[in-house]
Amino acid sequence: MKCQMNVLLVAVVIYTAVLVVHGAPSELVITPTGGLVAFLHEEATSLCRPEGSPLPTNLEWWSVIPNERIPENITLRVYAAFQQQNLQLYFKDVWSSDEGTYICKGRASDTPIDNTQSVSIYQDITIVDAPTVQNPVIDTDALIKCKVTGNPKPLIEWQRGASTVLEAGGRYIFEEDGLRILDIQEIDNDVYTCRATVHETGRAKSVVIYVEVSIPPEITDPPDNVQGVEAFEAQFHCLAVGKPTPDYSWYKGNQPLTDPGKYPQSGNYLTVTKIDNFTDESLYRCRAQNSAGEEYAEAFLDVIIPPKVQDIRNKTDVKEQKDVWMNCTISGEPIPTVVWWKNGRTQPFVEGVQPDDSRITIFKEGGPIYNNVKSSILRMQIRNARSGDRGFYRCEGKNEANDLLNEQQLQQIWPPYRRDAELLVSFKPLVSFEYPGDYYSWLDNTVNLTCFAEGWPTPDITWWLNGAPVIIDNIYYRKFGLDPLSFLQVKTASPAFFGVYQCLAKNSEGEAFRNIELRQAYPPRHEPNVKEAQRTPTTVMYDIIPTEDPNNLPVIYYNVLYKLTNANWQDAQLYVFSQGGPYILDGLWPETYYKVVMRAVNLAGESEYPSREMELLTERVREPYTPTFIKYEENPVSQYSDRYLVRWKEPGSGGRQINHYQLTYQPIVCNDDVTCDQFEPGLPTMSVLVMAPAASEMLRMLFSGQRYRVEIKARNSVDYSAPDYLYFTTKEGNNPISNYVVPPKLGSGGIAGIIILGMFILFIVVDLLCCVLFNCGVFFFCCAKDCGRNDKEKSIEMEDVKESREISQDEGEINLAADLRERHSDVEPDVIPDREKTPIRAKPSASK
């Protein structure tokens, strides 16, 4: 054992001697030690330093995978570079593929030497693909994207809402790229949180994702097949539901519509403008699309070509009793229905012979083709044409376009869908008897004679008098108007201008005439037949029977001259009665004598023959005449249960102004259908005053279902008038007045008590008067005894009382006079009426 220890000791000594002589062994030292941790996309470096003796040379860096030498080129992303004797490995931009083992190689003398460096890549948590708003499609296994990278690899957790942590399983599957929700529905709409953590580094990062399930479009209102009129526009409409709201696009066939001028699109509407028969009749498709999908619906555009009148003769001229044909050609698609109308006729002509005129027959046949569009011809034959056939005829076509377009649009069609043609039938003149054949005029008057004549060609009208032509355009004759309507204006300066005028109408087919008599008119030639009908204090009514004068103008009014009996006719007043009446002369004085004459007046002037002179004595001033109720039915029933409106006619005033009306109404009982004059016992009688000139009053506080009698009387300053009566019944119903209870009657004891109480009050009043006026009585005795006043004081007080009594009497007289004036202020004084207010009064133009 001792020998072995010695040997070991000798070896150590020898090794130590060798180190001292030769130095440390050769090696390659790599920093950082323990491996290089590099950050992704950042710079990193590792240094290989030679040490020992001999010092290693020919240093190189190599990657293990792939087995490649790192070039010494600083332009590369990864390169090697010497720093004196050290060799540096440099990463300009660290990639994840740079992770692995790198070897630093060299030579010590001829001996290879190397050392390794482990490079690990650190990547912070990076959320690569996690949109904050995601719209998965309903009914699918939807992936809520949240792709996270990092090194070390992060751990992913999911949270729904504010507090619900999701566990894998069931409808939730945790995948590398996110959370998959099986058969996702709208109930899964929520806020989701994707959270990534790395426990080795303590790093964490999260993203909030709003999930709203999207629904593919569903077209709920597909476009309908449409009929569009050529040259106008048609519109398609399509409606779809979905989430998000679908967008719309339109196709013709399979081609998208990209011309906004020809095919303007507005949301879910498509308009086809300026429809062309050859290019626009097609199948159109509506496409509804959103992020969840798309759906199509289609409809067909059927182009209608409106009716167009291609050929018609505008004017046709034929002689009377000749046959005439009128043809009309109209094109369209579908082929239009064609009809003929006549101006003034309410129904079109029917195909075949006309039921109301067998001379007219309608024939229909096919026509030529215009621009690949078929047409139809409608021919109208009129045999033995008459003057009544002349006028305007209208040819009109109709198909579906007439229903699709309004009247203004129909007017834009060219050639037009209807056209007029004039039929002219030559016939000799026919003079109309629509205008009068007799005219009246008088000397120095102007009158217009009228003549109308039909005919074709338009007849020329001339005027004749007593067989001689009338010379026109002078101070006596003027002709105006346009043929065939002619007016002859005649100034009847003398009797020679009266007579039989002749209206002569002439054209190429013949002539016709009519005699028109112009008669001379005179003022009324007979005195009027006048009879007095009724007289009041201020008016008189007459009956006037016109006197027959068959060859003269009728009377239009009567001039009435009246005066006081003792006055001169030069001071008479004028009053005018219009023909037909009523003939009432008013504004007269009561109990006054007048004289009256009348003259009839017509357009020719005032009659020279007055009526006989009539004497008149007006009635004395009296009470008003009886006012009469206005009765709309025999037994009226009020539309209310508690009130009724009565109306009456204003009566004659009796020579004094009516002040008021007195209405008295009371419930009555009808013993039978005729007798209704017994008052209802226990119910009150009501009375009301109505101030003139009112002529109606609402009666209130009535009982429902009750019959009433109303009495009316008029009052003036003389007296009340005789009464008039009205009976009516109120409507059945509830009202407060119906609950009225008749108060109980007082017994004999009650009546005696009231009498005793009245006598006591009377005694007190008399005793007080005695105390004040005569210084006596019970009150005077009591007051004198209690107060103990001396005689002087009493005498002074009595003087004061006396003076006060005299003043009170004076004031009472003044107040009484004022009260009387106020109470009688509404009574009209009995004065003569103001003559200036009587109607149409003036001094007569001529004396009697």
Side-chain angles (χ1 to χ4, degrees):
M1 184 65 179
K2 186 177 179 180
C3 182
Q4 293 176 349
M5 292 294 292
N6 293 331
V7 172
L8 180 60
L9 182 60
V10 171
V12 170
V13 171
I14 295 174
Y15 181 73
T16 302
V18 171
L19 288 177
V20 172
V21 175
H22 298 284
S26 300
E27 63 178 342
L28 298 175
V29 179
I30 295 178
T31 58
T33 60
L36 172 65
V37 178
F39 289 87
L40 188 66
H41 299 304
E42 295 186 9
E43 298 182 53
T45 184
S46 181
L47 186 66
C48 180
R49 183 176 67 250
E51 292 184 357
S53 178
L55 189 67
T57 59
N58 299 328
L59 301 183
E60 295 177 345
W61 276 103
W62 287 73
S63 64
V64 175
I65 300 175
N67 186 22
E68 293 179 347
R69 177 176 176 272
I70 306 300
E72 298 171 11
N73 184 353
I74 63 174
T75 63
L76 300 178
R77 184 180 66 84
V78 181
Y79 65 92
F82 280 98
Q83 293 181 353
Q84 296 178 356
Q85 296 177 347
N86 305 325
L87 185 61
Q88 185 180 30
L89 176 63
Y90 196 85
F91 300 88
K92 290 182 180 180
D93 179 17
V94 175
W95 289 0
S96 58
S97 59
D98 295 333
E99 189 174 45
T101 303
Y102 292 82
I103 304 174
C104 179
K105 298 181 179 181
R107 299 187 70 84
S109 296
D110 292 331
T111 303
I113 189 172
D114 62 42
N115 198 355
T116 61
Q117 175 68 291
S118 173
V119 178
S120 58
I121 307 300
Y122 175 79
Q123 180 182 357
D124 196 9
I125 298 173
T126 303
I127 299 176
V128 178
D129 185 12
T132 56
V133 177
Q134 299 188 34
N135 304 107
V137 179
I138 196 170
D139 298 329
T140 62
D141 297 337
L143 177 66
I144 310 304
K145 296 180 181 180
C146 184
K147 184 175 182 181
V148 181
T149 60
N151 193 14
K153 184 177 181 180
L155 176 65
I156 305 300
E157 297 177 346
W158 285 92
Q159 176 182 318
R160 178 176 179 177
S163 59
T164 303
V165 177
L166 300 181
E167 301 289 342
R171 296 177 58 237
Y172 300 111
I173 300 175
F174 291 5
E175 296 185 1
E176 185 75 18
D177 294 336
L179 171 66
R180 189 170 298 275
I181 303 177
L182 302 180
D183 190 24
I184 195 167
Q185 302 295 323
E186 287 189 276
I187 61 172
D188 295 314
N189 291 344
D190 211 332
V191 178
Y192 292 78
T193 303
C194 172
R195 183 176 294 108
T197 58
V198 177
H199 295 295
E200 292 86 346
T201 62
R203 294 283 293 165
K205 187 176 290 188
S206 61
V207 61
V208 175
I209 302 172
Y210 295 89
V211 175
E212 184 173 4
V213 174
S214 60
I215 302 173
E218 178 185 359
I219 296 179
T220 57
D221 186 9
D224 296 323
N225 293 332
V226 173
Q227 287 184 324
V229 181
E230 182 187 41
F232 292 90
E233 65 180 35
Q235 191 174 72
F236 291 98
H237 169 260
C238 176
L239 183 62
V241 296
K243 186 187 290 186
T245 302
D247 295 323
Y248 298 88
S249 56
W250 292 86
Y251 296 77
K252 184 166 77 171
N254 294 321
Q255 298 297 319
L257 298 175
T258 58
D259 184 355
K262 172 67 176 176
Y263 304 102
Q265 303 177 37
S266 176
N268 54 340
Y269 286 88
L270 169 67
T271 302
V272 182
T273 63
K274 299 179 181 178
I275 296 175
D276 182 86
N277 179 44
F278 302 104
T279 61
D280 289 329
E281 188 168 83
S282 178
L283 191 69
Y284 290 80
R285 303 174 69 204
C286 168
R287 177 194 183 196
Q289 181 184 26
N290 65 8
S291 58
E294 63 184 12
E295 188 172 24
Y296 291 85
E298 59 188 29
F300 188 77
L301 174 58
D302 181 19
V303 177
I304 305 298
I305 302 177
K308 299 178 181 179
V309 179
Q310 301 289 352
D311 182 43
I312 189 174
R313 185 175 297 178
N314 289 333
K315 183 179 290 188
T316 301
D317 198 344
V318 64
K319 289 185 177 293
E320 202 170 19
Q321 299 301 318
K322 298 295 184 180
D323 294 347
V324 60
W325 284 88
M326 300 180 70
N327 303 328
C328 178
T329 304
I330 296 185
S331 64
E333 179 64 39
I335 298 178
T337 301
V338 186
V339 293
W340 277 103
W341 293 77
K342 186 178 187 297
N343 188 27
R345 185 182 174 100
T346 59
Q347 296 293 329
F349 293 105
V350 298
E351 191 172 349
V353 178
Q354 303 309 300
D356 56 344
D357 192 343
S358 60
R359 299 178 303 112
I360 302 176
T361 306
I362 302 296
F363 301 92
K364 181 180 179 181
E365 59 186 59
I369 295 178
Y370 295 88
N371 296 327
N372 296 323
V373 179
K374 297 180 181 179
S375 67
S376 178
I377 300 176
L378 198 66
R379 305 182 188 274
M380 179 169 61
Q381 181 189 30
I382 303 176
R383 299 188 303 275
N384 302 322
R386 304 170 183 169
S387 61
D389 295 327
R390 65 189 296 265
F392 285 92
Y393 292 78
R394 172 170 290 177
C395 173
E396 181 177 332
K398 184 175 183 179
N399 63 8
E400 285 83 345
N402 298 70
D403 299 325
L404 295 172
L405 303 178
N406 57 41
E407 185 62 28
Q408 184 178 3
Q409 292 172 322
L410 288 171
Q411 298 298 331
Q412 300 174 19
I413 299 174
W414 189 261
Y417 76 103
R418 63 186 182 191
R419 288 182 64 182
D420 293 339
E422 186 178 11
L423 175 60
L424 301 175
V425 179
S426 299
F427 62 98
K428 69 178 183 179
L430 296 173
V431 179
S432 172
F433 284 82
E434 177 183 356
Y435 296 95
D438 296 315
Y439 290 84
Y440 283 92
S441 184
W442 50 95
L443 294 178
D444 293 325
N445 184 52
T446 300
V447 64
N448 293 329
L449 310 182
T450 304
C451 180
F452 177 75
E454 290 185 290
W456 185 257
T458 302
D460 179 48
I461 296 178
T462 58
W463 290 88
W464 300 69
L465 173 60
N466 299 326
V470 173
I471 300 175
I472 307 297
D473 294 334
N474 52 56
I475 62 173
Y476 303 109
Y477 291 107
R478 262 190 74 207
K479 179 184 176 184
F480 57 94
L482 298 176
D483 294 334
L485 182 62
S486 177
F487 300 94
L488 178 65
Q489 188 177 85
V490 182
K491 183 175 181 180
T492 51
S494 68
F497 289 91
F498 298 98
V500 178
Y501 286 80
Q502 188 179 74
C503 165
L504 179 63
K506 181 184 295 186
N507 67 5
S508 60
E509 302 298 316
E511 64 180 41
F513 69 90
R514 183 190 181 192
N515 290 332
I516 299 175
E517 185 175 0
L518 178 58
R519 298 176 179 176
Q520 184 174 359
Y522 304 91
R525 293 176 286 191
H526 305 283
E527 66 178 61
N529 186 4
V530 183
K531 180 181 179 182
E532 184 179 320
Q534 184 181 359
R535 190 186 308 175
T536 73
T538 58
T539 65
V540 62
M541 178 183 290
Y542 293 100
D543 289 334
I544 303 178
I545 302 174
T547 305
E548 295 293 334
D549 194 356
N551 295 319
N552 201 9
L553 291 170
V555 174
I556 56 175
Y557 62 88
Y558 298 92
N559 284 334
V560 182
L561 288 175
Y562 67 100
K563 70 179 184 68
L564 297 175
T565 299
N566 298 327
N568 295 322
W569 280 107
Q570 286 79 2
D571 298 327
Q573 299 290 320
L574 174 65
Y575 201 100
V576 176
F577 288 159
S578 296
Q579 174 64 28
Y583 308 115
I584 300 175
L585 181 61
D586 60 6
L588 305 178
W589 299 345
E591 297 184 86
T592 304
Y593 287 95
Y594 289 91
K595 287 188 176 182
V596 182
V597 294
M598 299 185 192
R599 293 177 187 269
V601 181
N602 63 12
L603 292 176
E606 185 181 59
S607 172
E608 298 179 0
Y609 308 97
S611 69
R612 59 182 176 84
E613 188 176 284
M614 297 171 286
E615 290 190 352
L616 167 66
L617 173 61
T618 54
E619 297 284 339
R620 65 175 178 82
V621 174
R622 51 161 289 176
E623 73 278 2
Y625 292 88
T626 303
T628 56
F629 284 110
I630 299 175
K631 302 174 183 178
Y632 299 102
E633 53 185 320
E634 186 64 26
N635 294 305
V637 177
S638 175
Q639 58 179 326
Y640 306 104
S641 62
D642 61 345
R643 57 191 184 274
Y644 183 71
L645 179 65
V646 293
R647 293 185 175 92
W648 58 89
K649 295 180 181 178
E650 181 180 1
S653 66
R656 290 289 182 268
Q657 181 179 358
I658 295 176
N659 298 325
H660 63 264
Y661 299 91
Q662 179 177 294
L663 294 170
T664 304
Y665 53 101
Q666 184 178 14
I668 59 173
V669 177
C670 294
N671 296 327
D672 50 49
D673 293 339
V674 178
T675 306
C676 288
D677 56 0
Q678 181 178 351
F679 293 122
E680 185 77 54
L683 295 182
T685 298
M686 308 290 286
S687 183
V688 62
L689 294 182
V690 181
M691 302 307 296
S696 65
E697 176 68 12
M698 180 68 77
L699 306 182
R700 302 181 183 276
M701 304 291 289
L702 305 179
F703 295 94
S704 63
Q706 178 65 52
R707 188 158 180 82
Y708 281 84
R709 187 188 77 169
V710 187
E711 176 189 270
I712 185 171
K713 293 189 292 184
R715 171 75 180 187
N716 64 8
S717 60
V718 177
D719 200 353
Y720 277 105
S721 70
D724 188 33
Y725 296 97
L726 172 69
Y727 295 87
F728 70 90
T729 304
T730 55
K731 180 182 178 182
E732 293 283 352
N734 294 324
N735 64 67
I737 304 303
S738 299
N739 299 325
Y740 172 80
V741 177
V742 179
K745 296 182 179 179
L746 292 175
S748 58
I751 296 174
I754 292 175
I755 294 174
I756 293 172
L757 178 61
M759 294 178 64
F760 179 73
I761 294 173
L762 180 61
F763 171 78
I764 293 175
V765 172
V766 172
D767 189 73
L768 285 173
L769 291 175
C770 291
C771 176
V772 174
L773 300 177
F774 306 107
N775 298 329
C776 62
V778 176
F779 274 95
F780 180 79
F781 177 76
C782 293
C783 290
K785 182 178 179 181
D786 292 341
C787 296
R789 291 170 294 182
N790 55 40
D791 294 339
K792 183 178 181 181
E793 291 174 342
K794 293 180 181 178
S795 65
I796 294 174
E797 185 177 20
M798 291 305 296
E799 291 295 329
D800 293 338
V801 171
K802 184 177 180 181
E803 183 179 354
S804 175
R805 184 173 69 250
E806 292 174 354
I807 294 174
S808 299
Q809 289 176 350
D810 294 339
E811 291 178 350
E813 293 174 358
I814 295 173
N815 293 335
L816 178 59
D819 181 61
L820 288 174
R821 286 196 301 269
E822 181 179 356
R823 289 169 57 190
H824 295 284
S825 61
D826 59 341
V827 179
E828 282 273 325
D830 192 7
V831 298
I832 299 175
D834 185 0
R835 294 186 175 276
E836 293 182 358
K837 296 182 180 179
T838 55
I840 322 179
R841 292 180 180 175
K843 281 191 175 183
S845 58
S847 66
K848 176 184 173 185

